[in-house]
Amino acid sequence: MKQQQIASTKALIDFIATAPTAFHAVEEIASQLSAAGFTPLSEAHYAELQPGGCYYLTRNGSSIIAFRMPDSDPLGLLIVASHSDSPTFKLKYNAEVNGAGGTLKLNTERYGGTILSSWFDRPLSIAGRAVVRSNDGISTKTVTLDRDLAIIPNVAIHQNRSVNDGYKYNPACDTFPLIGEAASAGKLQEAVAANADCATEDLLGSDLYLYNRTPGTIFGLNDEFFACPRIDNLQCAFASLQAFLSAKPSRHIQMLAVFDNEETGSTSRQGAASTFLTDTVDRIGEALGLNAAAIHRWLPSSMMVSADNGHAIHPCHPELSDPQNAPRMNQGVVIKYNANQKYTTDALSAALFRQICENAGVPTQVFANRSDMMGGSTLGNISNTKLALNTVDIGLAQLAMHSCYETGGTSDTLSMIRALEAFYAITIESVSDGNYKIS
Ligand code: ZN
């Protein structure tokens, strides 16, 4: 068992290394789906769907929805949703800026709620996508500069004696990474164009982000933990992909959704608040010759798992967790509750999901924020405003969420894969509101 847990953690670390940005995460997920025989569809074109067929669509290159059709008329939908983006810094349009002492810095802005201090004094690189001129229009390519390129240097303690007394970093100044000497001005554009395989003048646009190049590692006296960039939320994206790939066709349309822009509120063309999921469900209905009302009748016999990590109890700060509902790393899948429905979990969805985990032999635990603390929100409640179905919010327990180097438990990825495999295998049939037949 321990060996399997370590193997799944190593596989997760390898997956995360392929995915410095949401664009790369989606590219890697698409390539794994293609290798497993899934057919890529285009949002721009009608496609016939075969019983038992497997398909996927991307939007903006940074969100992806894959689905597996049942062999007969669908009973409903079984969806696992996670997110592809992580907090970071985005390079501004005119990114190169002269620094003091003949240096060249990068003009950046925060993407999402990152822990600023975690980005200092470590090798960083740049990745994202480039839009380039092509023979008949424009085309988009992922870009990975993939070498130690920049560092955000701290000010020496002798020049900032209060740095250990709660220093307030200013993202308009303190977090501009050093990328070279002034004489290197213009070289970033050249490097991006070369990586996108185009002439510099054909580079028409780019969305570029900083990323932490420190590889993931397993640590602890008994290899209990691992540390890695972007655990939130590539751990759930990875686990849901593995579970989805190994699922067998069922009576439900099984879906895997990985959305971009969760860290900035999901309100983009490709985020969980967009029409991407409903458009995909409509497309499936159209291919089956069903009207909207017929599709709506799927929803009572459907379920969504919104998978996004939660906070483990901190070894030095137990007071920051709820006294009763504080999950621990390596103790299984976390079911997340919030009275104000920041998390969708309720008695019904929790009962369904807990039963699934129990049958699969996967331990579950519970997360709730301390009653005087606001937590983050996630995908489930946002997605539910577009496609309303019974939803549970779950995740894995981790430390240092939104640091550029987070910590998780080595047994947890495997627990999540097992739980989601069991989820994709269920048949859930609505008998009446709140009553289900499950097999
Ligand atoms: Zn997250």
Side-chain angles (χ1 to χ4, degrees), residues 110 134 148 253 342 372 391 421 436:
R110 294 166 78 168
S134 63
D148 294 342
I253 302 166
K342 294 277 187 207
D372 57 356
T391 304
E421 280 172 348
Y436 292 95

Side-chain angles (χ1 to χ4, degrees), residues 24-267:
H24 298 77
V26 164
E27 197 170 63
E28 173 63 20
I29 292 167
S31 114
Q32 291 199 27
L33 289 164
S34 288
F38 279 69
T39 305
L41 304 179
S42 151
E43 282 210 279
H45 301 108
Y46 176 83
E48 298 214 342
L49 304 178
Q50 303 303 323
C54 299
Y55 308 91
Y56 70 88
L57 294 146
T58 64
R59 184 179 283 186
N60 191 48
S62 60
S63 291
I64 186 164
I65 295 178
F67 57 94
R68 184 184 285 108
M69 298 299 295
D71 290 320
S72 52
D73 286 347
L75 197 57
L77 310 163
L78 292 179
I79 307 172
V80 181
S82 61
H83 65 90
S84 54
D85 61 324
S86 299
T88 175
F89 294 87
K90 186 172 186 187
L91 272 57
K92 284 191 165 169
Y93 186 78
N94 287 309
E96 290 179 353
V97 50
N98 285 324
T103 57
L104 193 67
K105 305 183 294 185
L106 288 178
N107 188 359
T108 59
E109 56 187 324
R110 294 166 78 168
Y111 175 88
T114 191
I115 300 178
L116 294 175
S117 61
S118 69
W119 287 82
F120 283 75
D121 304 329
R122 56 169 82 234
L124 304 172
S125 192
I126 292 166
R129 68 163 168 193
V131 178
V132 305
R133 200 189 321 272
S134 63
N135 287 338
D136 54 356
I138 56 172
S139 61
T140 305
K141 296 176 176 183
T142 50
V143 166
T144 320
L145 298 187
D146 200 22
R147 65 188 178 95
D148 294 342
L149 265 180
I151 225 159
I152 304 175
N154 255 303
V155 167
I157 196 161
H158 316 85
Q159 295 168 320
N160 181 11
R161 293 281 181 192
S162 63
V163 68
N164 293 326
D165 304 330
Y167 181 71
K168 191 172 189 307
Y169 292 102
N170 179 353
C173 161
D174 290 321
T175 52
F176 283 15
L178 170 71
I179 193 169
E181 295 186 330
S184 297
K187 286 206 160 52
L188 176 61
Q189 286 293 92
E190 287 172 20
V192 172
N195 198 265
D197 204 16
C198 74
T200 310
E201 60 270 23
D202 289 333
L203 181 61
L204 302 176
S206 57
D207 292 309
L208 298 172
Y209 300 85
L210 296 182
Y211 72 95
N212 174 15
R213 290 201 78 229
T214 313
T217 186
I218 290 171
F219 71 95
L221 291 170
N222 192 27
D223 291 338
E224 297 98 326
F225 308 115
F226 73 103
C228 193
R230 304 180 293 283
I231 293 176
D232 171 20
N233 186 27
L234 294 182
Q235 189 174 22
C236 289
F238 171 80
S240 58
L241 174 65
Q242 302 316 309
F244 181 70
L245 286 171
S246 65
K248 304 273 173 291
S250 77
R251 292 182 63 198
H252 296 266
I253 302 166
Q254 298 154 333
M255 303 183 84
L256 172 84
V258 185
F259 293 109
D260 192 7
N261 304 126
E262 191 275 343
E263 298 296 357
T264 57
S266 295
T267 52

Side-chain angles (χ1 to χ4, degrees), residues 179-429:
I179 193 169
E181 295 186 330
S184 297
K187 286 206 160 52
L188 176 61
Q189 286 293 92
E190 287 172 20
V192 172
N195 198 265
D197 204 16
C198 74
T200 310
E201 60 270 23
D202 289 333
L203 181 61
L204 302 176
S206 57
D207 292 309
L208 298 172
Y209 300 85
L210 296 182
Y211 72 95
N212 174 15
R213 290 201 78 229
T214 313
T217 186
I218 290 171
F219 71 95
L221 291 170
N222 192 27
D223 291 338
E224 297 98 326
F225 308 115
F226 73 103
C228 193
R230 304 180 293 283
I231 293 176
D232 171 20
N233 186 27
L234 294 182
Q235 189 174 22
C236 289
F238 171 80
S240 58
L241 174 65
Q242 302 316 309
F244 181 70
L245 286 171
S246 65
K248 304 273 173 291
S250 77
R251 292 182 63 198
H252 296 266
I253 302 166
Q254 298 154 333
M255 303 183 84
L256 172 84
V258 185
F259 293 109
D260 192 7
N261 304 126
E262 191 275 343
E263 298 296 357
T264 57
S266 295
T267 52
S268 63
R269 184 169 73 88
Q270 60 279 349
S274 77
T275 58
F276 190 25
L277 183 58
T278 49
D279 291 350
T280 304
V281 172
D282 287 350
R283 154 186 293 274
I284 295 170
E286 182 197 23
L288 298 177
L290 299 174
N291 62 20
I295 294 171
H296 297 162
R297 282 195 291 276
W298 286 345
L299 299 183
S301 296
S302 297
M303 186 167 172
M304 179 190 275
V305 172
S306 162
D308 195 1
N309 277 0
H311 307 300
I313 188 165
H314 193 283
C316 308
H317 287 286
E319 78 283 2
L320 299 176
S321 292
D322 182 79
Q324 301 288 2
N325 303 295
R328 293 159 53 182
M329 291 179 287
N330 294 317
Q331 299 295 312
V333 175
V334 177
I335 302 175
K336 299 154 75 175
Y337 286 81
N338 177 265
N340 297 297
Q341 289 288 288
K342 294 277 187 207
Y343 306 132
T344 52
T345 311
D346 56 20
L348 197 57
S349 61
L352 278 164
F353 188 74
R354 209 171 264 125
Q355 214 174 358
I356 291 166
C357 289
E358 230 172 75
N359 292 341
V362 174
T364 57
Q365 42 183 347
V366 166
F367 173 82
N369 285 296
R370 234 177 77 140
S371 300
D372 57 356
M373 281 188 183
M374 274 273 291
S377 69
T378 180
L379 304 149
N381 63 332
I382 293 168
S383 178
N384 247 322
T385 62
K386 304 288 169 191
L387 190 72
L389 38 84
N390 203 358
T391 304
V392 63
D393 268 285
I394 64 158
L396 292 170
Q398 68 160 91
L399 294 172
M401 188 178 285
H402 294 192
S403 164
C404 76
Y405 207 60
E406 301 169 323
T407 288
T410 37
S411 77
D412 288 331
T413 304
L414 192 60
S415 293
M416 181 65 95
I417 294 172
R418 296 261 158 89
L420 297 179
E421 280 172 348
F423 169 71
Y424 279 126
I426 58 162
T427 303
I428 164 174
E429 208 164 344

